[in-house]
Amino acid sequence: MQVFRALLRHQAGRLGLIVIGVFSLAAVLGLLGLTPHDPLAQDRLARLSPPNGTYLMGTDLFGRDIFSRLMVGVGQSFAVGLLSVGLATIVGTVLGLTAAWFGGLWDGVAMRSMDVLLSFPAILLALLIVAVMGPGLVTSVIAIGIVYTPIFTRVVRGPALSLKTRSFVDAARTFGSSRRYILTRHLLMNLIAPLTVQITLALAWALLTEAALSFLGLGTQPPHPSLGLMLSDSRNLMETAPWMLIFPAIVIMLAVLGFNLLGDALRDIFDPKSQERTP
Amino acid sequence: MGYVLNRIALFPLVMLGVSVFVFVAIRLVPGDAITAMLGTEGGMLTPAQRETLTAYFGMDQNWFVQYGRWLAGLLQGDLGVSVTYGQPVLEIILDRFPLTLELAFLSMFIAIAIGLPVGIYAAINADRPSDLIVRVFAMIGQSTPNFVVALLAIYVLSVGFGVLPQMGRFVPFFDDPIGNLAQLILPAVALGTAFAAAVTRIARAAMLDVLSEDYVRTARSQGYSQSYVIWRHALPNALIPVVTLSGVEFGYLLGGAVIVEQIFALPGLGRVVLDAILQRDYALMQGVVLFIAFNFLVVNLLVDLAYAALDPRIRYGAK
């Protein structure tokens, strides 16, 4: 609650909250099927119509409503983003915490494995995983999740190493607290701030990666709408139907911008010293 | 020197890990090289024919033997032969790499040429309206995917000026420098936009940090001019994070710009990766992915070394 209030006072944070709030609403409505038109319905008499009273953002080559398709597309993107970042957060945190706590061989194995994953540019690793698993939504979630796991592992391991040697952890040990209790209650609780910042920024990257995969035809499969696919479809029609390009472009920019603003604001709030510092 | 030596010592280990990862990943891809090569005709093979082919590709051996053979080949520069191109994998890579390299350099040039001065300017004018404008644009730039910049640029050029980007056959720089640059400028801008925004933000932040340091304040109080203090004291230290960031981004770009290359129909490494995946060309996939990871690791190692050279605190093992 405190963080939320601080976000509202923070200029960029407020803006980010509003943008993400609006998009989340659209996403939920889109996923629930509460769109103005059926996103898959083809109105053959209204193919490629410019924005008008019936179709707020115009229609595509098949006469499908772009506004409704964007709502569902944002829903898909957010769902993939949340699930994949959630996956990366859980796996990365467990790996980072245990690596820091047990040290030794396990630390070496875990961190060198993360080094291997970090040796690939993000999109390349995602493509490799898609090649193994076949394209689709579930694959996108797993691929993006794996790509961002090492970042969370590193974010957690560093601070966990220094927390481990602090006197309150020793005290807890002396009192006979269980390992699990110390790891979750003392270490994890103190890592919530850096994790929150990282999760928000990772959501922005996840949206970009998901859009990139579906742009290449390796994410969401047609006829289901997704931001990347819609942009890809607009390529050959941008001169006759620029609305097919402009609206999805604005939507993806704003969504990523929203998460970036939130992430920056959270960093300012949790760590006032590092204002405006990019990772 | 502990830090630098540690990084260099880890390099072969991580590279070995990468090769195992790529080897296993490719073997998990559904289907095999025979089906990929023959397509549906693969189903018409007699068991004996299939066995012969399996032996020919070395697939009758277990994974350890296969990996050993592959690694031995790698060390002799043999990455195998691409089924779809009918060419050695290394030849394909070396043929496509110059384009990717040039594109990466152009993008980095654009990013630094714009990002560095703008970031420094914003830091010097911190919290004035001009700084605010810079920050807003940098934030928007960083949030715009490169393929969106690419599409919007094509749109603006074709509708606003009636010009279409030059696609089709790629013109090497040494054959026709002007034609080559005309072809690569738009892709470089698309790739350089978010990069420039990132450089702007980090240059601004680093400069702000340095400007509040004691030694800068001391220099100012001694009566040195503003520009002398900035050029002589602040800039060299503010450059360190800019070098690091640019190096890492450059490493990413060496992996090929999969989508931007596809949009502009450029035959770079990104296109090869995508083709290899779509065509299920295992040898090619394996070789290209390994080549990109190798470059990425080398660039990151060089960035680390440069960082250590620029910042003595790192060099002597302090964190």
Side-chain angles (χ1 to χ4, degrees), chain A residues 184-231:
Chain A
T184 50
R185 186 84 193 95
H186 292 295
L187 295 193
L188 194 57
M189 278 306 178
N190 279 296
L191 292 169
I192 297 256
L195 273 176
T196 315
V197 174
Q198 204 57 50
I199 288 171
T200 320
L201 294 173
L203 280 170
W205 305 328
L207 286 188
L208 289 178
T209 315
E210 194 274 334
L213 284 180
S214 43
F215 188 95
L216 294 169
L218 298 169
T220 311
Q221 298 298 305
H224 296 287
S226 80
L227 299 178
L229 264 180
M230 291 175 78
L231 281 169

Side-chain angles (χ1 to χ4, degrees), chain B residues 127-144:
Chain B
D127 294 322
R128 297 208 191 123
S130 53
D131 174 41
L132 191 70
I133 293 171
V134 167
R135 282 160 70 189
V136 168
F137 272 95
M139 196 74 199
I140 294 175
Q142 212 174 16
S143 305
T144 313

Side-chain angles (χ1 to χ4, degrees), chain A residues 118-122 124 127 131-132 208 212 215-216 231 235 238 242 245 249 253 256-257 260-261 264 276-278, chain B residues 14 18 21 25 28-30 139 143-145 151 155 201-202 204-205 209 252 258-259 273 277 289 292-293 296-297:
Chain A
L118 282 172
S119 311
F120 302 93
L124 183 72
L127 282 175
V132 173
L208 289 178
F215 188 95
L216 294 169
L231 281 169
R235 265 191 290 176
M238 57 168 78
L245 165 67
M253 268 167 70
V256 176
L257 183 68
N260 275 335
L261 285 172
D264 272 18
E276 274 295 300
R277 183 176 292 164
T278 32
Chain B
V14 174
V18 167
F21 182 85
L28 292 176
V29 177
M139 196 74 199
S143 305
T144 313
L151 293 176
Y155 176 67
R201 281 168 57 101
I202 207 146
R204 177 183 177 276
D209 257 7
Y252 274 111
V258 181
I259 301 190
V273 170
I277 287 178
V289 170
I292 292 173
F296 196 56
L297 276 175

